[in-house]
Short mmCIF file of all heavy atoms in Angstrom, two decimals:
data_model
loop_
_atom_site.label_atom_id
_atom_site.label_comp_id
_atom_site.label_asym_id
_atom_site.label_seq_id
_atom_site.Cartn_x
_atom_site.Cartn_y
_atom_site.Cartn_z
N PHE A 218 -4.56 -28.31 -138.27
CA PHE A 218 -3.92 -29.32 -139.06
C PHE A 218 -2.44 -29.45 -138.68
O PHE A 218 -1.67 -30.01 -139.41
CB PHE A 218 -4.03 -28.96 -140.56
CG PHE A 218 -5.45 -28.97 -141.02
CD1 PHE A 218 -6.18 -27.78 -141.05
CD2 PHE A 218 -6.05 -30.13 -141.43
CE1 PHE A 218 -7.49 -27.78 -141.49
CE2 PHE A 218 -7.38 -30.13 -141.88
CZ PHE A 218 -8.09 -28.95 -141.91
N ALA A 219 -2.12 -28.92 -137.52
CA ALA A 219 -0.75 -29.02 -137.04
C ALA A 219 -0.52 -30.38 -136.40
O ALA A 219 -1.40 -31.26 -136.42
CB ALA A 219 -0.46 -27.91 -136.01
N ASN A 220 0.67 -30.59 -135.83
CA ASN A 220 0.94 -31.84 -135.13
C ASN A 220 -0.01 -32.01 -133.97
O ASN A 220 -0.54 -31.05 -133.42
CB ASN A 220 2.41 -31.86 -134.68
CG ASN A 220 3.36 -31.80 -135.84
OD1 ASN A 220 3.05 -32.26 -136.93
ND2 ASN A 220 4.54 -31.25 -135.62
N GLU A 221 -0.16 -33.22 -133.54
CA GLU A 221 -1.14 -33.49 -132.49
C GLU A 221 -0.64 -33.14 -131.12
O GLU A 221 -1.35 -33.32 -130.15
CB GLU A 221 -1.49 -35.00 -132.52
CG GLU A 221 -2.20 -35.42 -133.80
CD GLU A 221 -3.51 -34.68 -134.00
OE1 GLU A 221 -4.20 -34.38 -133.00
OE2 GLU A 221 -3.82 -34.37 -135.16
N SER A 222 0.59 -32.64 -130.97
CA SER A 222 1.10 -32.29 -129.67
C SER A 222 0.33 -31.11 -129.11
O SER A 222 -0.13 -30.24 -129.86
CB SER A 222 2.60 -31.97 -129.76
OG SER A 222 2.81 -30.89 -130.64
N GLY A 223 0.25 -31.03 -127.82
CA GLY A 223 -0.52 -29.96 -127.20
C GLY A 223 0.01 -28.57 -127.42
O GLY A 223 -0.72 -27.60 -127.41
N ASP A 224 1.35 -28.46 -127.67
CA ASP A 224 1.94 -27.13 -127.87
C ASP A 224 1.45 -26.48 -129.13
O ASP A 224 1.45 -25.24 -129.25
CB ASP A 224 3.47 -27.24 -127.91
CG ASP A 224 4.03 -27.69 -126.58
OD1 ASP A 224 3.33 -27.49 -125.55
OD2 ASP A 224 5.15 -28.23 -126.54
N ASN A 225 1.05 -27.26 -130.13
CA ASN A 225 0.67 -26.69 -131.42
C ASN A 225 -0.83 -26.55 -131.56
O ASN A 225 -1.32 -26.10 -132.62
CB ASN A 225 1.19 -27.57 -132.55
CG ASN A 225 2.70 -27.55 -132.62
OD1 ASN A 225 3.31 -26.53 -132.31
ND2 ASN A 225 3.30 -28.67 -133.02
N ASP A 226 -1.62 -26.95 -130.57
CA ASP A 226 -3.06 -26.86 -130.67
C ASP A 226 -3.50 -25.46 -130.24
O ASP A 226 -3.29 -25.05 -129.10
CB ASP A 226 -3.71 -27.92 -129.74
CG ASP A 226 -5.20 -27.98 -129.96
OD1 ASP A 226 -5.66 -27.52 -131.02
OD2 ASP A 226 -5.90 -28.50 -129.08
N PRO A 227 -4.11 -24.68 -131.14
CA PRO A 227 -4.46 -23.29 -130.82
C PRO A 227 -5.70 -23.16 -129.98
O PRO A 227 -6.73 -22.66 -130.39
CB PRO A 227 -4.65 -22.64 -132.20
CG PRO A 227 -5.14 -23.78 -133.07
CD PRO A 227 -4.45 -25.02 -132.55
N VAL A 228 -5.66 -23.66 -128.77
CA VAL A 228 -6.81 -23.55 -127.86
C VAL A 228 -6.81 -22.14 -127.25
O VAL A 228 -5.90 -21.36 -127.47
CB VAL A 228 -6.74 -24.60 -126.73
CG1 VAL A 228 -6.92 -25.97 -127.31
CG2 VAL A 228 -5.42 -24.51 -126.01
N ARG A 229 -7.84 -21.83 -126.50
CA ARG A 229 -8.01 -20.47 -125.96
C ARG A 229 -7.07 -20.26 -124.76
O ARG A 229 -7.46 -20.52 -123.63
CB ARG A 229 -9.47 -20.27 -125.56
CG ARG A 229 -10.42 -20.28 -126.74
CD ARG A 229 -11.85 -20.32 -126.27
NE ARG A 229 -12.16 -21.62 -125.71
CZ ARG A 229 -13.37 -21.94 -125.24
NH1 ARG A 229 -14.34 -21.08 -125.28
NH2 ARG A 229 -13.58 -23.13 -124.74
N VAL A 230 -5.86 -19.80 -125.05
CA VAL A 230 -4.91 -19.58 -123.97
C VAL A 230 -4.35 -18.17 -123.98
O VAL A 230 -3.33 -17.92 -123.41
CB VAL A 230 -3.75 -20.61 -124.05
CG1 VAL A 230 -4.23 -22.01 -123.78
CG2 VAL A 230 -3.08 -20.56 -125.43
N GLY A 231 -5.00 -17.23 -124.67
CA GLY A 231 -4.52 -15.86 -124.74
C GLY A 231 -3.51 -15.64 -125.85
O GLY A 231 -3.32 -16.48 -126.72
N GLY A 232 -2.87 -14.49 -125.80
CA GLY A 232 -1.90 -14.11 -126.83
C GLY A 232 -0.60 -14.86 -126.73
O GLY A 232 -0.33 -15.52 -125.72
N PRO A 233 0.21 -14.80 -127.78
CA PRO A 233 1.51 -15.49 -127.75
C PRO A 233 2.48 -14.82 -126.80
O PRO A 233 2.42 -13.60 -126.59
CB PRO A 233 2.01 -15.40 -129.19
CG PRO A 233 1.33 -14.16 -129.72
CD PRO A 233 -0.01 -14.09 -129.04
N THR A 234 3.38 -15.59 -126.24
CA THR A 234 4.39 -15.00 -125.33
C THR A 234 5.52 -14.40 -126.15
O THR A 234 5.78 -14.78 -127.28
CB THR A 234 4.97 -16.10 -124.43
OG1 THR A 234 5.56 -17.13 -125.24
CG2 THR A 234 3.88 -16.69 -123.54
N ASN A 235 6.18 -13.43 -125.54
CA ASN A 235 7.34 -12.79 -126.17
C ASN A 235 8.53 -12.94 -125.24
O ASN A 235 8.58 -12.30 -124.18
CB ASN A 235 7.05 -11.30 -126.41
CG ASN A 235 8.12 -10.61 -127.27
OD1 ASN A 235 9.24 -11.13 -127.37
ND2 ASN A 235 7.79 -9.48 -127.85
N PRO A 236 9.49 -13.77 -125.58
CA PRO A 236 10.62 -14.03 -124.68
C PRO A 236 11.52 -12.82 -124.46
O PRO A 236 12.32 -12.82 -123.54
CB PRO A 236 11.39 -15.15 -125.38
CG PRO A 236 11.04 -15.04 -126.82
CD PRO A 236 9.61 -14.56 -126.83
N LEU A 237 11.37 -11.77 -125.27
CA LEU A 237 12.19 -10.57 -125.12
C LEU A 237 11.65 -9.64 -124.03
O LEU A 237 12.38 -8.72 -123.63
CB LEU A 237 12.25 -9.80 -126.45
CG LEU A 237 12.85 -10.58 -127.64
CD1 LEU A 237 12.83 -9.72 -128.88
CD2 LEU A 237 14.25 -11.02 -127.33
N LEU A 238 10.44 -9.89 -123.54
CA LEU A 238 9.85 -9.05 -122.51
C LEU A 238 9.96 -9.74 -121.14
O LEU A 238 10.02 -10.98 -121.08
CB LEU A 238 8.38 -8.75 -122.82
CG LEU A 238 8.13 -8.00 -124.15
CD1 LEU A 238 6.64 -7.85 -124.36
CD2 LEU A 238 8.84 -6.68 -124.16
N THR A 239 9.98 -8.94 -120.10
CA THR A 239 10.19 -9.47 -118.75
C THR A 239 9.13 -10.49 -118.36
O THR A 239 9.43 -11.57 -117.85
CB THR A 239 10.21 -8.32 -117.72
OG1 THR A 239 11.20 -7.36 -118.10
CG2 THR A 239 10.49 -8.84 -116.34
N ASP A 240 7.85 -10.15 -118.59
CA ASP A 240 6.75 -11.01 -118.20
C ASP A 240 6.24 -11.85 -119.37
O ASP A 240 5.15 -12.43 -119.31
CB ASP A 240 5.60 -10.20 -117.64
CG ASP A 240 5.16 -9.08 -118.57
OD1 ASP A 240 5.67 -9.05 -119.71
OD2 ASP A 240 4.30 -8.28 -118.18
N GLY A 241 7.02 -11.94 -120.44
CA GLY A 241 6.60 -12.71 -121.60
C GLY A 241 5.54 -12.01 -122.44
O GLY A 241 4.95 -12.62 -123.32
N GLY A 242 5.27 -10.75 -122.15
CA GLY A 242 4.25 -9.99 -122.88
C GLY A 242 2.82 -10.34 -122.48
O GLY A 242 1.88 -10.03 -123.23
N LEU A 243 2.65 -10.96 -121.31
CA LEU A 243 1.32 -11.36 -120.87
C LEU A 243 0.79 -10.54 -119.72
O LEU A 243 -0.05 -10.99 -118.94
CB LEU A 243 1.34 -12.85 -120.49
CG LEU A 243 1.76 -13.82 -121.59
CD1 LEU A 243 1.77 -15.24 -121.09
CD2 LEU A 243 0.81 -13.71 -122.78
N SER A 244 1.31 -9.33 -119.53
CA SER A 244 0.84 -8.48 -118.44
C SER A 244 -0.54 -7.96 -118.72
O SER A 244 -1.00 -7.91 -119.85
CB SER A 244 1.81 -7.32 -118.24
OG SER A 244 1.89 -6.53 -119.41
N THR A 245 -1.24 -7.54 -117.66
CA THR A 245 -2.61 -7.04 -117.77
C THR A 245 -2.60 -5.52 -117.65
O THR A 245 -1.93 -4.95 -116.78
CB THR A 245 -3.47 -7.61 -116.65
OG1 THR A 245 -3.47 -9.05 -116.76
CG2 THR A 245 -4.91 -7.11 -116.76
N VAL A 246 -3.35 -4.87 -118.53
CA VAL A 246 -3.48 -3.42 -118.51
C VAL A 246 -4.96 -3.08 -118.28
O VAL A 246 -5.83 -3.62 -118.97
CB VAL A 246 -3.00 -2.78 -119.84
CG1 VAL A 246 -3.23 -1.29 -119.81
CG2 VAL A 246 -1.55 -3.10 -120.08
N ILE A 247 -5.23 -2.25 -117.27
CA ILE A 247 -6.60 -1.87 -116.96
C ILE A 247 -7.05 -0.80 -117.96
O ILE A 247 -6.41 0.26 -118.08
CB ILE A 247 -6.70 -1.31 -115.52
CG1 ILE A 247 -6.18 -2.36 -114.53
CG2 ILE A 247 -8.13 -0.93 -115.19
CD1 ILE A 247 -6.10 -1.85 -113.12
N ALA A 248 -8.11 -1.07 -118.67
CA ALA A 248 -8.61 -0.15 -119.70
C ALA A 248 -9.27 1.06 -119.06
O ALA A 248 -9.81 0.99 -117.97
CB ALA A 248 -9.59 -0.86 -120.64
#
Side-chain angles (χ1 to χ4, degrees):
F218 296 94
N220 297 330
E221 295 301 324
S222 60
D224 294 338
N225 294 327
D226 188 17
V228 293
R229 294 170 289 182
V230 292
T234 59
N235 189 341
L237 300 179
L238 300 177
T239 304
D240 54 6
L243 300 178
S244 60
T245 301
V246 178
I247 303 174

